[in-house]
Amino acid sequence: MPDIKKKVTLKDIAEKTGLSVNTVSRVLNKKPYYTKEVEEKVTAACKELGYIVDMNASGLRSGSTRTVAILYDDLVNPFYSYTTDIISKRFEENGYNCIMFSNNDRSPYVDYELMRSVMARKPDGILSFLEPAGDMTDFIKNSGIPFVIFGRDGAPYGMVGVDADEVYGGKIAGEHLLARGYRKLAYIGSWHDVKVCLDRQKGLEEALAENGMTLSPEHVFYVREQDFGTIVDKIVKDDIDGVLCFNDVIAFIVMEALEERGIEAGADCGIVGFDNIQGMMRMPRLLTTVDVGNRDFAEAGAEVMLGLLSGSEEERPSFRETHKSFLVKGKTTR
Amino acid sequence: MPDIKKKVTLKDIAEKTGLSVNTVSRVLNKKPYYTKEVEEKVTAACKELGYIVDMNASGLRSGSTRTVAILYDDLVNPFYSYTTDIISKRFEENGYNCIMFSNNDRSPYVDYELMRSVMARKPDGILSFLEPAGDMTDFIKNSGIPFVIFGRDGAPYGMVGVDADEVYGGKIAGEHLLARGYRKLAYIGSWHDVKVCLDRQKGLEEALAENGMTLSPEHVFYVREQDFGTIVDKIVKDDIDGVLCFNDVIAFIVMEALEERGIEAGADCGIVGFDNIQGMMRMPRLLTTVDVGNRDFAEAGAEVMLGLLSGSEEERPSFRETHKSFLVKGKTTR
DNA sequence: CTGAAAGCGCTTACAG
DNA sequence: CTGAAAGCGCTTACAG
């Protein structure tokens, strides 16, 4: 392959072939109207000189950067990285690159500061693991940039979302705990104001209600707002014997904290998480968890975004309608 | 915050303030020479109209896109996602965004196809989890774009690398296995031609040599080149009682495969991995693993890249010199 | 300290 | 089917 010490531009290809930059551009972009001969000349010259298009320039002129912004808070949680891996590869296959934007764990929401840096990159689309809080909703809509909320309900914002039935997920988790004989349950969420977190809690409450039981408000916790140690101490003190956690990462931390306090997960206290991150990484099934069908979920997110990017109006059934979460039993429940 | 239905450009700010686009640009970029009064006018107008710079345009003109390309093969492995999370946040803090490029698991190497899409984005720097194979080395050097190989030795390529002493890591893993009484060891690598993979193997061999033992070539495997089932069957058949795996992801799969065959990890067969992905995600210590000091490692990678980007010639001691890997004992060794 | 002009490398819209 | 010109939104280099 050729040296690229000197930057090779369309102009160089034009000079080499004796054509205009215009024609060269047209050939490279496969626009109609050029002869086979011209095409071959251009292809040969590009190969020889090692031409590589400048996407900044083409994006500036054409208005399309072939870029998708991905908004996340925490790539350490495999739910995000696994999903991002699949989604970004699908985008790449379709000629889009991904730019990563993190809110640095400030909150589960998109804020203006973040949107500013996103907008500065002029992405063709935005796929967000974060919800658009408050006036960000209008800001985003006004921008006209396709925006997909992934893993969360888009409806409250009147936006496109790809999500699962989280109440159902919470319910099967609760039913499982009760079926295995756990009786005094707690819920450990992330943030008190995030819908997906509340939906899972609601599902648990429904399972309890069906068995004539209730979830005591003092046994509902939020780890992003309270200290982990305090939460676990309370759980131990009140003889909680079953815990549903908002996600697997939280569940693992709770599990460890309980075991430090002499409580064995599974035998003494049932623990259920969400996401099945073990399955993503082919790890042993230690934790009982609710799986949404991760690969399909990610693919669905990519499809919806690609649909919006291609401007097709095709209505497809939502992931929520076509897929049901399922329980994956590990060793943290009997 | 203001509507951005209509795209707001420097020209709009110039008109609003009665200044030239030039002056506005100078203020926004904090170039010397403007009055306090002008600054305030510009700031106010930008705020009112909701001005957001177009990085594509500024990058095209200035030659700096404030972008770092990250090259990876597999974000599912937490080693990559954890590191990427930390590194990308450090870049963001310094005004750089990250564009993700995957080679789609084709190989552990950067190839020309991948470099083409990278170059098209004109990144200011490239941080790569992949090694630059063959003539890619010269191609990259000729491009003049700062390139950091992360997690692998840069020396063979005459390039900047941030890595650990992998031979040492393999050695302490081997010593641990031997100290715990495992006697017939195997190594399960990834690719046969990746240095970091071979270094870990070499460390294991050194540990064995110190104990007057050797690693049989028929007990050295590469999962990217052989079938997992075949490997594990062979291990069982030959009564291997200690396995060092190239990384934790492989170790977990091996562990599961062994247990399916009735062999208990730890008691019957010691298993050691690399990366301590459990620690990254605060999961319980199931697997015994070698930890390089992941947070520091990632920070070091970011620092080296930022150093190159700022053009500072400051020599710093390499991570390899200042940090030593350590063993984290789990339940897969006695 | 500020402005008018040129130009980064493309693609678009138009002319032939 | 091909080309000359304009322009995307900035920053640079220069003039004043």
Side-chain angles (χ1 to χ4, degrees):
Chain A
M1 93 253 20
D3 259 23
I4 53 162
K5 239 173 224 129
K6 187 189 150 301
K7 187 157 42 182
V8 178
T9 70
L10 275 193
K11 213 175 139 202
D12 299 310
I13 306 299
E15 277 166 15
K16 176 122 194 136
T17 55
L19 296 159
S20 70
V21 289
N22 186 334
T23 302
V24 175
S25 168
R26 212 149 2 85
V27 171
L28 293 178
N29 291 301
K30 302 195 197 313
K31 303 264 168 180
Y33 311 134
Y34 51 84
T35 58
K36 191 82 194 154
E37 195 199 333
V38 163
E39 181 179 357
E40 279 163 9
K41 260 207 251 180
V42 170
T43 310
C46 286
K47 194 162 181 186
E48 188 183 340
L49 298 183
Y51 174 75
I52 298 172
V53 71
D54 182 336
M55 295 295 282
N56 288 293
S58 82
L60 174 61
R61 185 61 182 91
S62 72
S64 166
T65 55
R66 304 296 295 183
T67 272
V68 177
I70 298 187
L71 279 46
Y72 68 98
D73 63 344
D74 172 19
L75 216 53
V76 176
N77 185 337
F79 172 72
Y80 298 112
S81 55
Y82 177 88
T83 310
T84 300
D85 190 62
I86 292 174
I87 288 179
S88 65
K89 283 173 181 171
R90 289 283 291 125
F91 289 163
E92 281 186 23
E93 286 163 17
N94 285 270
Y96 291 91
N97 288 119
C98 296
I99 310 190
M100 307 296 292
F101 293 88
S102 162
N103 73 348
N104 276 304
D105 304 315
R106 281 192 294 270
S107 80
Y109 294 111
V110 175
D111 60 27
Y112 185 52
E113 189 191 337
L114 184 66
M115 280 312 294
R116 274 181 60 87
S117 34
V118 172
M119 294 304 196
R121 296 293 174 175
K122 297 275 182 286
D124 290 345
I126 302 171
L127 186 137
S128 178
F129 291 106
L130 308 169
E131 296 188 40
D135 43 12
M136 276 304 100
T137 308
D138 286 333
F139 180 80
I140 290 164
K141 285 179 183 166
N142 285 340
S143 77
I145 300 174
F147 191 94
V148 173
I149 307 177
F150 188 84
R152 290 149 195 262
D153 190 1
Y157 305 103
M159 299 178 89
V160 178
V162 176
D163 69 337
D165 186 340
E166 302 291 354
V167 177
Y168 175 80
K171 193 170 169 192
I172 59 173
E175 285 168 351
H176 173 73
L177 280 167
L178 294 171
R180 308 312 295 175
Y182 303 102
R183 281 292 167 267
K184 199 164 175 194
L185 307 190
Y187 178 70
I188 305 185
S190 53
W191 307 85
H192 81 277
D193 56 351
V194 170
K195 182 162 181 290
V196 53
C197 176
L198 297 179
D199 279 353
R200 290 173 184 178
Q201 176 183 334
K202 194 170 158 196
L204 173 62
E205 286 169 338
E206 284 184 11
L208 282 163
E210 281 179 1
N211 288 268
M213 303 162 82
T214 55
L215 184 63
S216 162
E218 60 172 339
H219 296 141
V220 174
F221 308 92
Y222 302 101
V223 296
R224 305 300 287 258
E225 297 160 12
Q226 293 162 74
D227 181 68
F228 250 112
T230 314
I231 295 172
V232 177
D233 284 341
K234 173 79 175 164
I235 282 173
V236 173
K237 182 165 155 282
D238 290 3
D239 292 319
I240 294 293
D241 72 347
V243 181
L244 178 60
C245 299
F246 171 66
N247 65 27
D248 288 351
V249 172
I250 294 173
F252 280 122
I253 299 175
V254 167
M255 179 181 164
E256 193 159 48
L258 283 175
E259 301 209 328
E260 276 167 10
R261 288 160 176 79
I263 293 174
E264 195 188 334
D268 303 330
C269 181
I271 302 178
V272 179
F274 269 87
D275 295 345
N276 193 14
I277 64 178
Q278 299 161 331
M280 292 173 175
M281 296 178 289
R282 300 190 57 184
M283 291 171 78
R285 288 186 185 177
L286 176 57
L287 180 69
T288 297
T289 187
V290 178
D291 190 327
V292 73
N294 292 308
R295 173 161 292 277
D296 287 350
F297 195 32
E299 302 274 7
E303 282 315 312
V304 169
M305 185 81 250
L306 289 169
L308 292 176
L309 289 172
S310 69
S312 77
E313 291 300 315
E314 197 186 332
E315 270 293 317
R316 80 190 71 227
S318 73
F319 181 86
R320 176 197 278 268
E321 287 161 7
T322 53
H323 291 69
K324 275 213 170 305
S325 297
F326 51 93
L327 194 101
V328 176
K329 200 193 153 317
K331 293 174 180 166
T332 58
T333 52
R334 290 189 278 258
Chain B
M1 93 253 18
D3 258 24
I4 53 161
K5 240 174 220 127
K6 186 188 150 301
K7 186 158 41 183
V8 179
T9 69
L10 276 193
K11 212 176 141 202
D12 298 311
I13 306 300
E15 276 166 16
K16 177 124 196 134
T17 55
L19 296 158
S20 70
V21 290
N22 187 335
T23 302
V24 175
S25 168
R26 213 150 0 85
V27 171
L28 293 179
N29 292 302
K30 303 195 198 310
K31 303 265 169 180
Y33 312 134
Y34 50 82
T35 58
K36 190 83 195 153
E37 195 199 332
V38 163
E39 180 179 357
E40 279 163 9
K41 260 206 251 179
V42 170
T43 310
C46 286
K47 193 161 181 185
E48 189 184 339
L49 299 182
Y51 175 75
I52 298 172
V53 70
D54 181 337
M55 295 296 282
N56 287 293
S58 81
L60 174 61
R61 185 61 182 92
S62 72
S64 166
T65 54
R66 305 295 295 183
T67 272
V68 176
I70 297 187
L71 279 46
Y72 68 97
D73 63 344
D74 173 19
L75 216 54
V76 175
N77 184 337
F79 171 71
Y80 298 112
S81 55
Y82 177 87
T83 310
T84 300
D85 190 62
I86 292 174
I87 288 179
S88 65
K89 283 173 182 171
R90 289 282 292 124
F91 289 163
E92 280 185 25
E93 285 163 19
N94 286 272
Y96 292 91
N97 288 119
C98 296
I99 310 189
M100 307 296 292
F101 293 89
S102 161
N103 73 349
N104 276 304
D105 304 314
R106 281 192 293 270
S107 80
Y109 294 110
V110 175
D111 59 27
Y112 186 52
E113 189 191 339
L114 184 66
M115 280 312 295
R116 275 182 60 89
S117 33
V118 173
M119 295 303 196
R121 297 294 175 174
K122 297 275 181 285
D124 291 345
I126 303 172
L127 187 138
S128 178
F129 291 106
L130 308 170
E131 297 188 39
D135 43 12
M136 277 304 100
T137 309
D138 287 334
F139 180 80
I140 290 163
K141 285 178 183 167
N142 285 339
S143 76
I145 301 175
F147 191 94
V148 173
I149 307 176
F150 187 84
R152 288 149 197 261
D153 189 1
Y157 305 103
M159 300 177 89
V160 177
V162 176
D163 68 337
D165 186 340
E166 302 291 354
V167 176
Y168 176 80
K171 193 171 169 191
I172 60 174
E175 284 167 353
H176 174 73
L177 281 167
L178 294 173
R180 309 312 296 176
Y182 302 104
R183 281 293 168 265
K184 199 166 175 192
L185 308 190
Y187 178 70
I188 304 185
S190 53
W191 308 86
H192 81 278
D193 56 351
V194 170
K195 183 163 181 291
V196 54
C197 176
L198 297 179
D199 279 353
R200 289 173 185 179
Q201 177 184 332
K202 196 171 157 193
L204 174 61
E205 285 169 338
E206 284 184 11
L208 282 163
E210 280 179 0
N211 287 268
M213 303 163 82
T214 55
L215 183 63
S216 162
E218 62 173 336
H219 296 140
V220 174
F221 308 93
Y222 302 101
V223 296
R224 304 300 287 258
E225 297 159 13
Q226 294 162 72
D227 181 68
F228 250 113
T230 314
I231 296 173
V232 177
D233 285 341
K234 173 77 176 166
I235 282 173
V236 173
K237 183 165 155 284
D238 290 3
D239 293 319
I240 295 293
D241 72 348
V243 181
L244 177 60
C245 298
F246 172 65
N247 65 27
D248 288 352
V249 173
I250 293 173
F252 280 122
I253 299 175
V254 167
M255 179 182 164
E256 192 159 49
L258 283 174
E259 301 208 327
E260 276 167 10
R261 288 160 177 77
I263 294 174
E264 194 189 335
D268 303 330
C269 182
I271 302 178
V272 179
F274 268 87
D275 295 344
N276 193 14
I277 64 179
Q278 298 162 331
M280 292 172 175
M281 295 177 289
R282 299 191 58 184
M283 291 172 76
R285 287 185 185 177
L286 177 57
L287 180 69
T288 298
T289 188
V290 178
D291 190 327
V292 73
N294 292 307
R295 175 163 291 277
D296 287 350
F297 196 33
E299 303 274 6
E303 283 315 312
V304 169
M305 184 81 250
L306 289 168
L308 292 176
L309 290 171
S310 68
S312 77
E313 291 299 315
E314 198 186 331
E315 271 293 315
R316 81 190 70 227
S318 73
F319 182 84
R320 176 197 277 269
E321 286 160 8
T322 54
H323 291 70
K324 274 211 169 307
S325 297
F326 52 93
L327 194 101
V328 177
K329 200 191 152 323
K331 293 174 179 164
T332 58
T333 50
R334 289 190 278 259

